[in-house]
């Protein structure tokens, strides 16, 4: 096997050195009653070429563009990925290294993550950002637990317009903790009803996502004020950070903690993962932050260098008292996001965001004119809900036959929106495809 | 070659991203605009993030230069204990990059995602077969996430039994994520010490196990690289009191095809696909930490689960006792593709061979170095062995000095100061993909360093000498944190 | 950053391939055998080549380590005069790797190769438009091959005129491939010297041009980076005597969209796709050297030629006067794909802008350095400028010393000791993809080196100091050649 | 444009420094009568994404496996390419560097090419091998010119069974030289008629390819003896070097110069190029070799290192007296071949060669049994000629409709073989595909 360098001679020499008669004998210390396995029932080894054929065939059984046009976002976005980014991200020194515990020979990863933290902070409008978390949902769960640690209060309020899956993950994390979660309902315009904050006792944090699950842009300033009025922290989450090329950053609108999903910053959708959990806050909370942080320092000759720092928050030092159990995070995804943000630059990022918005508006307006308006009046970014009065199922099926996925039907998530679907349009959708979609819906 | 594997060469400095570039540049090909601009309500809009602006060549050089400051498995031997830094096969990257996988939306209707679902279904089956467990969830994003999932499963199990429990037994050799994950579930860790032999004794477990204790978290093989030989008695004791046994399977690389985890009494175990199954570490992730369970825990597994009906695959949420979701979608699918490719590339015989050779390599290094460096437990080890700086202490040389000096010899240092039970631990896990010559060079380097420790300790205190930067000031980094530029 | 761009860092040594590995290893996945072995007559069979045997990880580390001993455009500024080391766009690699191109057999029936043929047809058209010439052959494999093709075309032309000629005029500034290519055609090079201004004068050409002379080979812009401003008179003179004008177009990067080569009297010109059109040099190739010709030479172009009939493409051999074939198939198609992608990515405005900025960069460097280093010809240059070590000679410092010292500063040296007409030439071609900051750093380095030359010449004689190896003994390498291990 | 870093400010500052008013003005020294171009008529610039779509569409219009089964070799072979090789060959330091004229910072390329020269020599059975040439045809032309330089004689004899395209290139190179080329005819068994050497005067070299264009294995020893008997050099060429995993090397059979095409050593077919021109000889001829050579030496501290050497043979030193005009060669292709040979190793190379032979034999035998024998009795490697008594065209067309390319019809190259086609089978062809081919031919 080409991954196993040992020749029979090597094995014989090494066994002799170890003083053992056979490879099996290496396991002699294991008590018999731990009954060594019989052969595993697994497919026989494939050659590299058989594997290629097998995987090509499997991959061919999943629908992707251009064969199928998928107008679905809902936390996973289709953006163009530059060849130049893919090139540098394939460098073995980045891909095959471990967490940079030995900084002298890990400065590449360390500077790159320090740069990521900086750009992520500028994007979210926070003073500090962590090195990464698993994804947007775990980042939100960790953000809420962090707020509870900071405020020493036991209740969080989460908008019903936060991604339903993110809310389910929060529920999973909270289940054994005894902390409780209050849901903030939505207004007819598609935004969160902040008046629901009134009279919630023991409130540690209020969490609102913007653009929210319906694509609607929330009034984060009002949400921040509402939370602060109750001595609670305001947590702003997101699933489409490209929106901040156009919108004010959550941090600038008073969010104490900002978290979300960074997949759209240059990561392939990859059937949902790995993504990128982003999390940032005010510097005042830095010692309560979960997850890894890279800091700038100097070496003994005074040269600039970078290290993992504030490790006393982490499990390998603090064990059960750590701010989180996370160890391996999504470092290469953070690096990918940094490369992507740097490739676009300030102006490019804004322009790309504007284009996403404008293409989505083009479809939204077109569908409205075709008689399928959005149930929500609030402004949106690159996603929006549209209602099919005759019911979603029929239209959805018909379009599927035309190799078009008409977004995400909402019935399963919001019974009240059973005749609605959530559509997404990014820069990858050409005008003529949007025109075609409108035509098909009309017909 | 008699001279050191490590040398120095021309390396380029590189400023921080925002010290580079010029306003007006863009390294991205902006798509053509084919729709009219439609303005957004100005009081919603901002100025956009302050990102540096670079050309494509600026970008390529920036990251190419940074990469040369890093040491990876592709660079050389990386015997980082407990991390299983085996070779990451390049064909796996090819597979994960196939558009049918990389461009697939996670919420596609199942009929449009059969390929991805089939892969997940079969990978879960492979992992069940490799561990001997009954069912698998691929959702956990890394090892610690798998531990949390395991704790949640145990929590849900006890609740279903009508009585919740408050404590969990954790040996002193455990990885830090174990107590941290237990704590997230509200369990109070009850520490126990491993015996003189470096393994747990039934007695210490029996002494603390009670009806208030949810169970035990064992790492097997443990972090001393030893097989917990009393595991059968231990699991019996825990089960007898109604507890469950969690196994941290981060060290599964030692026992593929050799140990049946269910047969030895494990109820739930997590795997690190980014260790045992060769997926790259990426400088700290992403990984994937599937949990494998005994059937009694299956009803509680995360949803959605992939179900095979005839020849088609669907996603089911119909598990009322499920603990729910652990991340937004299906977990780290891209990592699963790599692990699946690895398993198919090695097959059952190849996987078992990999474990055997991983154990052979560790024992070989142990035998060659135990005269020179103090060996915590002088007995046959599994995939790794734990030395220490005890013999060098006399010269004022520490494990840290030895680790830094190894860099000058062209090796990544082993894991140091872990497990905590061995003062000045030097935890060496060669993995099976290192050849005998590579190990012999590593052993030579360690022996030369031992000589240097006696003859010229300052050389070690000042190490590393060849890396782009030398020892860094971690103290002031933590005292006055500068976390963004 | 005030400190040098160049520094040192950990680099790994690596033995020769055959000093690595062990009999019994294999880094290749051998395909499954699904047919019976059939023995070949034993007296035909041998023992097979004595190749080293490596695992896949041995292989990856060997070449990863070697790569880190190299300096490329991806590493940093590479102002190698006459070589146009511009950035090589990564999307071009993606395009060349598409199975429809990379896996295509060259002898597929045309109906199965329409995509490849369309690309070649359109690329030839683009190059004709860029140069202003009438027809193009993509077959030549590199610049020198294009020169040979050009010479063969001129040879065939004169033969068709009924009288062969024996000589060809070649300026002293010409690249070595020019006389070598002419000689392959049996032409005797007639050297002429360029004037005081660094360009050819009509007089010197008129003085040697006669009916025995097949024509002239001019490089325009020439290797001094100057535009041959008397080119119109020169081509008239040559044509008047029945000769033809060959233009070495290696320096086309200066004049895309600016000069119409046909209009200035060029009959045949070669391009270096691996210079002007951004295809990577690959450590010395492969390149591609298309020839562009005046219609009077079109009948002689190599075959097969791609012909468009309606909307379909065919290959035609129906050119009885053709000089024949220059290589086995269609030339370096993989390189053509990259150049085609580059042209489509820049478009006409982008190509012209590239030339303008290439010329701007060269003039900027020239102006900034001409006080410090002797400038051969103090006048506006095109894509490159030629300095020399004249001012440093007093300190015993040579161009070689300066070049080697530049490495310590993190730059690839310019082309040195060429063109031959400038003693101690330092030929700097920044290309358009270098930013102003990069050029300013390069200029700083050159100025610091000039200071060092005055203050501490030994520092330069001993340079480079930071590279993995220092100056190499080329003399004994040539005296006792060791060309294989 | 993302490749052009200059901002308007940069351009203004630099123009000021240069003392010129505009970018156009930079070209003021060019006489007006050299009439600056009007705009070039070229397609407007495409974005990276438009380019991807355009190239995908173009590439889709070329037939490759698995869509089409191509049983054609004839100098371009279909072999499996390992992902690991592709990975290291994409390293920017290899791909974006120039010819290693500055050895101190080019040791990666230099050692790799020195290693290539060594493995190439071992493969061909020559003491020395060059760093590369354009392709097999130019390598042959240069080899014959080299023989003429060495022997100072003016005539070469080339077998009619040498690849017809290689012979045409040789003819092109020879046309202006006045040297002449005698063709050695073939025997009925498909091999070269060496008796035709008799009585050729002034013979500088005889060139024979093995396996030859018909796939037949030549008697190189006899050819060498024949040439040497006439004080001529023997030049052995090849198009499928994988054959030397099974056959004796040309050098070991008396060839003075060995040359050929190395594409099958890990290079994609890429519609015919770039390939790899391989050339080697006895050390005695080293100063007559065309092309670049890397040699081993030491640096001033005594460390092993590598340099380009014997440059006095080359155009940049010797100009019109050089042994060749070659400058840029196919270095990255040579590196690719080295990676490929090292990946396979001695045993792997032999086993792969055996498999190629056996699969070809399987088809050859199957077709013979089906009534379509080869016209030639000589043993073959992975290519062979088969005769369709009813004529090639009909069968060929019918199979094309089944998406099978039945090799290369020989009528165009050898009128005498107008009812024959040249088939090739490599390790990439599965038994069931071969069975299917036989079935289709039969039907
Ligand atoms: C023994 C052990 N358990 C758990 C973990 C945690 O795994 P991860 O880093 O994937 O969260 C590790 C990895 O560091 C480990 O070595
Ligand atoms: C002016 C000039 N002419 C011709 C050549 C030869 O081109 P190539 O190296 O592609 O054969 C070069 C490249 O070195 C050159 O600079």
């Amino acid at each position: 096997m080409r991954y196993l360098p040992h020749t029979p001679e090597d094995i014989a020499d090494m066994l002799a050195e170890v003083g053992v008669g056979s490879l099996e004998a290496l396991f002699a210390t294991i008590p018999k009653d731990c009954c060594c396995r019989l052969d595993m029932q697994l497919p026989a080894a494939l050659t590299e070429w058989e594997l290629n054929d097998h995987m090509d065939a499997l991959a061919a059984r999943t629908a992707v563009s251009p064969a199928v046009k998928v107008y679905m976002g809902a936390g996973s976005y289709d953006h163009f990925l530059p060849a130049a980014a893919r090139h540098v991200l394939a460098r073995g020194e980045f891909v095959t290294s471990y967490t940079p515990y030995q900084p002298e020979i890990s400065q590449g990863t360390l500077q790159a993550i320090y740069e990521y933290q900086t750009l992520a902070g500028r994007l979210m409008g926070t003073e500090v950002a962590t090195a990464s978390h698993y994804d947007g949902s775990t980042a939100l769960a960790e953000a809420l637990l962090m707020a509870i640690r900071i405020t020493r209060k036991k209740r969080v309020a989460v908008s019903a317009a936060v991604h339903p899956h993110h809310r389910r993950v929060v529920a999973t994390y909270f289940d054994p903790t005894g902390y409780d979660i209050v849901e903030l309902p939505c207004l007819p315009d598609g935004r969160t009803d902040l008046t629901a904050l009134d009279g919630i006792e023991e409130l540690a944090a209020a969490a609102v996502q913007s653009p929210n699950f319906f694509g609607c842009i929330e009034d984060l300033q009002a949400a921040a004020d509402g939370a602060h009025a109750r001595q609670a922290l305001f947590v702003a989450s997101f699933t489409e950070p490209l929106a901040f090329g156009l919108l004010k950053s959550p941090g600038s609108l008073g969010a104490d903690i900002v978290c979300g999903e960074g997949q759209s910053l240059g990561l392939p959708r990859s059937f949902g993962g790995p993504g990128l959990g982003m999390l940032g806050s005010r510097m005042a909370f830095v010692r309560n932050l979960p997850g890894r942080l890279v800091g700038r320092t100097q070496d003994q000759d005074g040269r600039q260098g970078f290290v993992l720092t504030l490790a006393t928050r982490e499990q390998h030092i603090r064990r059960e008292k750590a701010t989180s159990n996370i160890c391996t995070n999504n470092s290469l995804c953070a690096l990918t996001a940094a490369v992507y943000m740097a490739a676009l630059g300030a102006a490019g990022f804004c322009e790309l965001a504007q284009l996403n918005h404008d293409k989505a508006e083009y479809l939204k307006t077109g569908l409205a004119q075709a008689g399928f308006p959005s149930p929500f009046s609030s402004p949106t970014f690159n996603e929006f809900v549209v209602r099919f009065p005759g019911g979603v199922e029929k239209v959805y099926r018909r379009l599927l036959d035309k190799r078009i996925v008409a977004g995400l039907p909402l019935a399963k998530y919001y019974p009240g929106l059973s005749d609605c679907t959530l559509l997404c349009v990014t820069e990858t959708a050409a005008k003529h495809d949007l025109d075609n979609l409108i035509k098909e819906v009309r017909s | 070659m008699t001279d050191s594997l490590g040398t120095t060469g021309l390396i380029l400095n590189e400023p921080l991203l925002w010290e580079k570039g010029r306003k007006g540049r863009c390294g991205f090909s902006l798509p053509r605009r084919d729709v009219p601009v439609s303005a957004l309500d100005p009081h919603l809009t901002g100025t956009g993030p302050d990102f540096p602006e670079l050309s494509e060549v600026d970008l390529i050089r920036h990251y190419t230069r940074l990469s040369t400051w890093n040491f990876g498995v592709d660079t050389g031997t990386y015997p980082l204990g407990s991390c299983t830094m085996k070779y990451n096969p390049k064909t796996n990257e090819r597979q994960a990059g196939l558009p049918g996988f990389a461009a697939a939306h996670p919420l596609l209707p199942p009929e449009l995602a059969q390929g991805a679902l089939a892969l997940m279904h079969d990978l879960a089956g492979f992992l069940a077969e490799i561990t001997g467990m009954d069912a698998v969830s691929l959702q956990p994003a890394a090892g610690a996430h798998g531990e949390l999932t395991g704790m949640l499963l145990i929590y849900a199990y006890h609740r279903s039994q009508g009585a919740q429990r408050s404590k969990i037994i954790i040996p002193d050799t455990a990885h830090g994520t174990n107590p941290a994950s237990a704590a997230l579930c509200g369990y109070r860790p009850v520490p126990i010490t491993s015996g003189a032999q470096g393994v747990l004794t039934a007695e210490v477990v029996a002494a603390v196990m009670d009806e208030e204790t949810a169970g035990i978290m064992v790492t097997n093989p443990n972090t001393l690289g030893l097989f917990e030989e009393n595991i059968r008695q231990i699991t019996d004791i825990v089960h007898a009191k109604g507890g469950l046994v969690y196994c941290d399977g981060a060290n599964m690389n030692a026992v593929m095809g050799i140990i049946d985890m269910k047969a030895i009494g494990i109820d739930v175990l997590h795997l690190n696909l980014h260790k045992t199954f060769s997926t790259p570490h990426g400088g700290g992730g992403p990984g994937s930490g599937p949990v494998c369970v005994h059937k009694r825990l299956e009803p509680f597994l995360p949803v959605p689960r992939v179900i095979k009906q005839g020849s088609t695959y669907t996603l089911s949420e119909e598990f009322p006792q499920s603990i729910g979701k652990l991340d937004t979608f299906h977990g780290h699918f891209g990592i699963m593709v790599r692990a699946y490719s690895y398993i198919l590339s090695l097959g059952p015989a190849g996987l078992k061979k990999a474990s055997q050779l991983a154990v052979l390599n560790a024992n070989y290094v142990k035998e060659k170095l135990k005269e020179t460096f103090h060996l915590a437990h002088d007995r046959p080890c599994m995939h790794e062995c734990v030395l220490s700086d005890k013999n060098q202490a006399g010269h004022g040389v520490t494990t840290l000095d030895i680790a830094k000096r190894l860099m000058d010899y062209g090796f990544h240092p082993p894991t140091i100061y872990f497990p905590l039970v061995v003062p000045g631990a030097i935890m060496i896990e060669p993995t099976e993909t290192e050849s005998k010559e590579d190990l012999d060079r590593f052993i030579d380097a360690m022996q030369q360093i031992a000589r240097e420790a006696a003859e010229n300790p300052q050389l070690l205190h000042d190490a590393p000498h060849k890396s782009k930067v030398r020892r860094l000031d971690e103290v002031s980094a933590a005292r006055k944190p500068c976390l963004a530029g």
Side-chain angles (χ1 to χ4, degrees), chain A, chain B:
Chain A
M1 206 294 150
R2 64 194 191 278
Y3 308 153
L4 304 178
H6 299 65
T7 65
E9 298 66 38
D10 291 334
I11 293 173
D13 296 351
M14 294 170 81
L15 284 171
E17 191 66 43
V18 173
V20 158
S22 70
L23 289 174
E24 289 65 30
L26 287 166
F27 300 87
T29 53
I30 299 179
K32 284 285 139 291
D33 68 351
C34 291
C35 60
C36 294
R37 288 294 301 275
L38 303 169
D39 287 354
M40 298 176 280
Q41 298 308 309
L42 296 170
L46 299 182
T47 66
E48 181 173 356
W49 329 110
E50 292 167 332
L51 180 67
N52 288 346
D53 292 345
H54 174 72
M55 298 301 272
D56 289 348
L58 261 187
R61 292 175 53 210
T62 300
V64 294
S65 96
V68 178
K69 299 256 170 280
V70 180
Y71 296 99
M72 180 156 52
S76 180
Y77 302 92
D78 182 25
H79 293 297
F80 286 129
L81 307 181
R86 196 171 298 116
H87 178 81
V88 289
L89 291 164
R91 297 278 299 179
E93 297 92 331
F94 285 136
V95 176
T96 70
S97 54
Y98 197 73
T99 303
Y101 289 132
Q102 296 290 346
E104 299 85 351
I105 52 174
S106 309
Q107 287 297 304
T109 294
L110 285 162
Q111 179 170 330
I113 297 302
Y114 176 80
E115 291 172 340
Y116 161 76
Q117 289 174 183
T118 303
L119 300 190
R122 294 180 184 185
L123 181 66
M124 297 187 289
T126 59
E127 290 169 338
V128 55
T130 65
S132 75
H133 298 266
Y134 305 136
D135 73 9
S137 69
T138 65
L140 177 58
E142 298 241 41
L144 292 171
L145 291 172
M146 173 182 172
I148 287 168
R149 281 196 301 276
I150 294 170
T151 61
R152 300 213 172 69
K153 298 196 258 176
K154 306 208 155 334
R155 181 168 292 116
V156 298
V158 179
S159 162
V162 166
H163 194 301
H165 288 181
H166 289 194
R167 286 183 287 129
R168 287 181 66 182
V169 171
V170 170
T172 305
Y173 270 70
F174 273 52
D175 179 42
T177 62
Y179 307 136
D180 83 38
I181 309 172
V182 182
E183 182 171 297
L184 302 173
C186 292
L187 298 165
D189 69 357
R191 299 190 301 173
T192 305
D193 180 358
L194 298 166
T195 61
L197 284 170
D198 298 342
I200 301 179
E201 294 306 314
E202 269 293 291
L203 187 65
V208 173
Q209 174 183 320
S210 182
N212 68 22
F213 188 69
F214 306 127
C216 298
I217 299 162
E218 296 271 7
D219 183 348
L220 294 183
Q221 188 64 64
D225 297 344
H228 295 153
R230 285 157 192 79
Q231 292 72 45
L233 297 181
F234 175 50
V235 175
S237 78
F238 58 85
T239 60
E240 176 47 293
L242 183 60
F244 306 137
L246 203 51
L247 308 179
K248 292 194 177 71
S249 74
S252 70
L253 294 171
D256 302 290
I257 305 174
V258 182
C259 61
E261 173 58 56
Q263 173 271 331
S264 73
L265 302 175
L267 291 162
R269 275 161 300 173
S270 196
F271 205 56
L276 170 63
M278 302 178 72
L279 198 166
S281 77
R282 295 205 256 100
M283 199 61 188
F285 301 146
V286 69
R287 285 186 158 72
N288 275 295
L289 278 174
R292 213 173 278 148
L293 290 167
V294 173
R296 180 174 182 167
T297 185
Q298 294 196 328
D299 78 354
Q300 62 198 81
D301 299 335
R303 286 197 220 87
Q304 169 178 287
F306 303 87
V307 293
L308 293 177
T309 191
L310 298 179
T312 51
R313 300 164 302 109
E314 293 189 70
Q315 46 72 28
H316 63 280
I317 306 290
R318 197 55 86 64
R319 301 180 76 85
E320 65 266 29
K321 301 206 173 39
T323 56
S324 169
N325 69 328
I326 194 167
C327 180
T328 291
N329 58 19
N330 283 30
S331 189
L332 196 62
C333 305
L335 176 55
T336 304
V339 172
Y340 184 81
M341 291 186 276
L344 273 162
F349 197 80
C350 295
E351 191 170 333
L352 188 63
Q354 183 73 53
L355 189 59
N356 270 254
H357 170 264
D358 297 346
K359 283 178 180 263
E361 284 302 304
Y362 181 84
L363 180 63
K364 191 177 171 185
T365 319
L367 287 174
Q369 285 163 354
F372 305 97
S374 172
F376 303 128
S377 58
S378 305
T380 56
F381 176 58
N382 66 1
E383 277 184 287
F384 59 90
V385 176
V386 58
R387 168 167 281 137
F388 293 117
V392 172
E393 191 58 16
K394 238 176 53 279
V395 188
Y396 186 84
R397 282 283 143 209
R398 199 178 72 240
L399 291 177
L400 213 47
D401 297 339
K402 309 267 185 187
R403 315 292 289 159
I404 297 171
V405 176
L408 183 71
L410 291 177
K412 177 174 159 208
Y413 304 93
Y414 299 90
L417 298 171
S418 60
D419 56 354
C420 294
T421 187
L422 176 65
L423 291 169
C424 176
V425 184
T426 70
E427 76 276 6
T428 62
K431 176 177 177 300
H432 57 81
D433 290 324
L434 299 176
D435 291 335
N436 181 53
L437 173 57
I438 296 165
K439 189 176 107 294
E440 291 297 343
V441 169
R442 223 201 226 97
S443 70
Chain B
M1 308 192 306
T2 54
D3 63 336
S4 165
L5 184 61
T7 182
T8 61
L10 179 66
I11 290 279
L12 270 67
N13 282 312
E14 178 65 4
L16 289 155
L17 267 176
W18 45 93
E19 296 167 357
K20 237 178 128 82
R22 278 265 202 292
K23 282 280 162 221
R25 274 183 210 155
C26 185
F28 189 94
S29 177
L30 288 165
R32 202 176 301 282
R33 166 174 288 278
D34 56 3
V35 298
V37 177
S38 88
L40 192 63
D41 177 344
H43 82 264
L44 294 175
T45 59
T47 54
D50 172 22
F51 290 160
E53 302 191 330
L54 289 78
S55 68
E56 190 170 305
V57 61
D58 287 336
L59 195 76
I60 292 287
R61 286 179 181 166
H62 182 77
Y63 288 103
T64 299
R65 292 172 184 177
L66 261 54
S67 73
T68 63
W69 309 347
N70 252 21
F71 188 109
V73 172
D74 282 5
T75 311
T77 302
Y78 211 126
L80 198 65
S82 203
C83 300
T84 316
M85 298 301 283
K86 61 172 67 179
Y87 170 62
N88 310 127
K90 305 311 169 200
T91 185
N92 299 353
E93 302 302 312
R94 183 256 189 201
Q95 315 309 344
L98 290 169
F101 296 138
H105 193 291
L107 298 178
L108 282 171
E111 66 261 40
L112 296 189
Q114 288 296 297
L117 295 175
L119 186 147
M120 290 174 66
H121 177 272
D122 292 353
L123 175 59
F126 296 164
L127 297 178
E129 180 61 24
I130 290 166
T131 56
M133 305 302 287
D134 298 313
V136 173
S137 169
L138 300 171
Q139 223 178 91
H145 209 212
E147 295 170 24
L148 172 60
T149 307
M151 291 298 102
L152 289 166
L153 292 169
I154 290 173
Y155 185 90
Y157 168 83
H158 285 300
R159 176 165 46 194
S160 73
Q161 300 298 303
Q164 199 40 268
R165 299 184 174 202
S166 61
K167 301 177 293 179
I168 191 141
I169 302 168
I170 302 181
D172 51 6
T173 51
H175 190 268
T177 49
N178 289 193
S181 300
L184 267 173
C185 261
Y187 286 126
R188 183 161 48 76
V190 178
I192 56 172
T193 60
S194 37
Q197 289 299 304
V199 295
L200 296 170
T201 59
E203 297 65 38
V204 297
V205 176
V208 294
M209 184 62 203
D210 60 22
E211 267 77 11
E212 264 308 286
T213 304
I216 187 170
M217 289 183 97
V218 290
T219 303
N220 196 17
N222 69 23
T223 61
L224 290 162
L226 304 175
F227 186 83
E228 291 289 353
E229 56 197 39
N230 307 315
I231 188 69
R232 292 298 302 272
Q233 300 90 298
I234 291 167
T235 56
D236 288 347
I237 291 163
V238 173
H239 288 145
K241 299 274 191 194
L244 295 179
V245 179
Y246 182 92
C247 180
D248 180 329
N251 298 335
M252 189 73 196
N253 203 49
V255 294
M256 288 184 288
I258 289 154
I259 296 297
D260 179 327
M261 290 291 177
K262 182 182 174 189
I264 61 172
I266 306 303
D267 298 292
V268 48
L269 149 133
H270 88 261
L271 296 170
N272 295 58
L273 299 187
H274 47 298
K275 295 179 180 179
T276 313
F277 298 96
S278 86
T279 75
H281 283 78
S288 178
V291 290
C292 311
V293 299
H294 184 287
K295 60 175 110 48
R296 77 168 66 97
L297 289 175
E298 179 166 7
F300 308 105
L301 286 177
V303 287
R305 291 177 58 187
V306 182
I307 306 296
K308 185 174 188 180
Q309 289 162 329
S311 63
T312 64
Y313 301 85
T314 56
L315 286 165
S316 170
E317 297 258 358
E318 305 313 311
F319 299 92
Q321 290 183 286
S322 168
I323 58 170
K325 287 186 66 58
L326 264 297
D327 45 25
T328 312
F329 299 114
H330 310 296
H332 288 172
F333 178 79
I335 306 303
M336 299 172 205
V337 175
R338 292 170 172 87
Y340 175 87
S341 300
Y342 179 73
I343 292 168
L344 288 180
S345 298
L346 271 80
L351 291 173
K352 181 170 187 169
K353 188 77 176 285
S355 284
Q356 292 175 324
L357 296 176
V359 172
L360 176 63
N361 279 359
N363 279 282
Y364 180 74
V365 170
K366 171 174 67 62
E367 288 306 311
K368 289 282 209 168
L369 288 179
K370 72 183 193 187
E371 302 306 317
T372 315
F373 293 90
H374 179 261
L375 175 61
H377 299 277
D378 188 0
R379 45 193 309 235
C381 65
M382 292 281 118
H383 61 296
E384 64 195 359
C385 64
V386 180
L387 308 172
S388 83
D389 57 1
K390 200 168 182 179
N391 300 352
Q392 286 66 38
H395 310 297
V397 164
T398 65
T399 287
L400 187 69
D401 296 330
I402 295 164
K404 299 306 183 190
R405 183 59 179 160
L406 263 173
M407 298 176 185
D408 290 332
Y409 282 92
F411 294 94
H412 193 285
T415 292
I416 54 176
Y417 300 108
F418 179 77
L420 307 174
V421 296
V422 177
I426 301 172
M427 186 194 211
I428 302 171
E429 180 181 12
T431 85
E432 70 280 5
T433 57
E434 294 304 305
S435 67
K436 179 171 180 297
E437 311 92 88
D438 291 331
L439 296 182
D440 287 335
R441 291 179 137 289
F442 172 75
I443 289 157
D444 285 354
M446 285 292 282
Q447 258 139 3
Q448 287 198 51
I449 290 171
R451 278 192 294 279
E452 291 170 346
E455 296 156 9
N456 183 1
Q458 195 56 38
L459 190 63
L460 275 60
H461 301 322
D462 295 342
H465 301 268
K466 297 174 181 172
S467 50
K468 180 174 178 292
V469 296
R470 296 178 57 208
R471 290 196 204 185
L472 291 134
D473 181 351
E474 312 208 1
V475 176
S476 51
R479 200 169 292 143
K480 311 184 225 56
C482 170
L483 308 174

